[in-house]
Amino acid sequence: MRNITQLLCQIHHPNLVSLIGFCYDENEMILVYEYMDNVTLLDRVCNANMDLLQWKLRLKICIGVARGLHYLHTGVKQGIVNRRVKEGDYTNEMRPKIMKHDLDYFGPEHYVKHAVTEKSDVYSFGVVLFKVLCSKKAIDVNLQGGLGDLARWAVECIRDETLFDMIDPYLLGKIAPKCLMKFVEIALSCIRPPRYE
């Protein structure tokens, strides 16, 4: 565990929350990360009491998250699976930052193979894309049809050609059609279940 923590301390990227240091105290590990505000991206896309984010800024945040994941998967010598990509982290300057090595929801392969892989991160990223577009949580019992699962609900909306019903009403008419189609295509490709061997 100490070796992994030392590795994480050496990883620096503008779109990753930096692990500043760590120590062991009486068999307990203490991790010190850079300071992050307690406001999440989801707060900024669906909290009526806050200024909602414009589409271009939402895209910028999604691109930053993708860059952070790409760096973890390919820019680090051993490659790191993040194990959690969520909507929670970004700086005051709206530069998205993701935590390294944490837990949240997993892709389908976790439940089939009981393994967490780069595909898990890609799946979680796809869920984040749908959160940004729909302004909904990953698990929401209020989703139409009682599905509760944002990814499944989004797939059904697209299949049933009710895409515009799932888009955040604040964004309707503010996204160029080609941009919307490409965004949805990318999100779908991320959450598409892999074929298991």
Side-chain angles (χ1 to χ4, degrees):
M1 187 67 171
R2 185 184 297 265
N3 290 340
I4 292 171
T5 309
Q6 287 173 333
L7 171 65
L8 293 178
C9 284
Q10 297 169 13
I11 295 172
H12 299 284
H13 187 275
N15 299 113
L16 298 175
V17 176
S18 295
L19 179 61
I20 297 170
F22 67 95
C23 69
Y24 289 97
D25 184 25
E26 297 181 9
N27 295 325
E28 285 192 45
M29 180 185 288
I30 299 170
L31 302 175
V32 181
Y33 286 96
E34 71 174 290
Y35 174 77
M36 296 294 293
D37 282 338
N38 198 22
V39 177
T40 69
L41 175 57
L42 198 58
D43 289 334
R44 293 297 307 275
V45 297
C46 64
N47 186 336
N49 297 322
M50 302 188 81
D51 292 333
L52 299 178
L53 297 179
Q54 300 292 326
W55 178 245
K56 285 186 179 180
L57 191 48
R58 294 184 197 203
L59 279 180
K60 179 181 175 185
I61 290 169
C62 292
I63 291 167
V65 171
R67 286 180 175 150
L69 279 179
H70 182 260
Y71 176 77
L72 285 176
H73 292 173
T74 64
V76 179
K77 189 174 183 180
Q78 297 170 325
I80 294 176
V81 175
N82 185 61
R83 298 179 60 176
R84 179 177 113 181
V85 184
K86 65 173 201 151
E87 78 285 349
D89 309 314
Y90 63 88
T91 67
N92 286 333
E93 300 83 32
M94 294 297 170
R95 179 184 299 140
K97 293 201 172 219
I98 54 178
M99 293 288 291
K100 300 182 288 283
H101 196 66
D102 209 341
L103 294 170
D104 202 0
Y105 41 87
F106 298 110
E109 76 282 350
H110 171 71
Y111 302 103
V112 173
K113 292 186 171 184
H114 304 289
V116 179
T117 65
E118 289 179 4
K119 290 179 183 177
S120 304
D121 286 348
V122 171
Y123 178 87
S124 294
F125 178 66
V127 174
V128 169
L129 294 180
F130 279 121
K131 287 180 181 183
V132 166
L133 181 64
C134 305
S135 297
K136 298 196 180 298
K137 296 177 182 177
I139 304 298
D140 186 341
V141 294
N142 298 317
L143 290 174
Q144 294 174 353
L147 291 171
D149 181 328
L150 177 60
R152 285 181 53 210
W153 178 68
V155 168
E156 293 210 2
C157 287
I158 293 162
R159 186 196 66 214
D160 297 341
E161 298 182 0
T162 57
L163 172 64
F164 291 101
D165 292 345
M166 71 180 220
I167 297 174
D168 178 354
Y170 177 75
L171 296 175
L172 287 174
K174 298 177 182 175
I175 308 173
K178 284 185 179 178
C179 179
L180 175 62
M181 291 301 112
K182 181 54 73 174
F183 188 88
V184 169
E185 178 186 325
I186 292 168
L188 275 175
S189 69
C190 290
I191 66 168
R192 185 172 294 126
R195 292 189 175 134
Y196 302 108
E197 288 118 22

